[in-house]
Amino acid sequence: MRVSIDRKTIEVVRGDITDQVTEAIVNAANNHLWMGAGVAGAIKRKGGDEIEREAVTQGPIEVGEAILTSGGKLKARYVIHAAAMGQDLRTDINKIRMATHNSLVLADKHQIASVSIPALGTGVGGFSIFHCAKIMITEAVEFLQNTRYVYHIRFVLFDEQSFDAFHQELELQFSAKRH
């Protein structure tokens, strides 16, 4: 599903974040920026150890913050590491909201036009995919109304339930805006 906001787009697709052809992909990171399991592990396996080495030299960061590294061997030029949780592996509404927002602000600052983002905090963090979808899509919609450079945000969901949650939330928010 794809919707437009002021000639910019938000898209929800099912797939593998490491295969995305966008200028940047977002890593669901911890605040020490170690890349072990889940999305981070997949990015490290496909993109190479240099992504983690580059990230760790910029950490630790505050939960909710984001940093930028190269994309290593990935199709994406950059990886934005969004710290949606700390070492306790817990997250919440504010951490996910801030990590999403700060990822997009960082992309805009670096004049990155297209960004692919996974669901943050729903794997190891254990956060509800439905609440996550609402938070992240709301942030993306608000952000696209004020950005200078980011014109395409793609939410990339690995499994059917996550895809359905984001698809339904995007549909819900845009059907409400039309009425």
Side-chain angles (χ1 to χ4, degrees):
M1 176 179 189
R2 179 185 288 217
V3 297
S4 293
I5 302 169
D6 302 328
R7 293 182 294 217
K8 299 168 188 149
T9 59
I10 294 178
E11 181 180 22
V12 174
V13 300
R14 185 165 176 206
D16 182 339
I17 193 87
T18 65
D19 291 332
Q20 298 307 300
V21 181
T22 50
E23 205 171 340
I25 65 171
V26 173
N27 172 28
N30 63 69
N31 69 319
H32 280 264
L33 306 168
W34 299 317
M35 300 175 73
V39 170
I43 291 171
K44 181 179 171 180
R45 279 189 302 280
K46 198 158 206 174
D49 292 339
E50 64 266 25
I51 297 172
E52 181 180 44
R53 280 194 300 273
E54 195 178 334
V56 169
T57 64
Q58 298 180 58
I61 61 176
E62 293 295 317
V63 175
E65 293 297 314
I67 58 104
L68 184 74
T69 67
S70 70
K73 299 175 194 122
L74 298 169
K75 294 173 186 174
R77 183 173 178 194
Y78 302 106
V79 176
I80 296 171
H81 303 262
M85 64 184 163
Q87 297 310 293
D88 61 359
L89 305 181
R90 300 220 184 272
T91 194
D92 59 40
I93 292 168
N94 290 331
K95 292 173 184 172
I96 292 170
R97 179 178 290 119
M98 289 305 299
T100 303
H101 177 78
N102 287 327
S103 293
L104 295 171
V105 167
L106 187 62
D108 204 52
K109 177 183 173 188
H110 288 276
Q111 300 181 14
I112 294 170
S114 58
V115 182
S116 290
I117 310 175
L120 299 177
T122 60
V124 175
F127 197 77
S128 160
I129 189 66
F130 301 100
H131 289 115
C132 178
K134 182 173 182 147
I135 295 163
M136 293 184 74
I137 288 175
T138 299
E139 280 299 318
V141 169
E142 289 174 7
F143 183 81
L144 283 182
Q145 294 170 15
N146 300 305
T147 180
R148 278 189 73 184
Y149 297 103
V150 177
Y151 75 88
H152 184 91
I153 298 172
R154 177 183 300 146
F155 289 100
V156 182
L157 297 310
F158 193 71
D159 61 69
E160 194 70 33
Q161 181 186 23
S162 299
F163 171 79
D164 289 346
F166 273 74
H167 183 269
Q168 289 167 9
E169 184 61 35
L170 189 60
E171 208 167 56
L172 180 70
Q173 288 196 29
F174 277 83
S175 65
K177 285 185 188 332
R178 283 179 266 175
H179 298 313

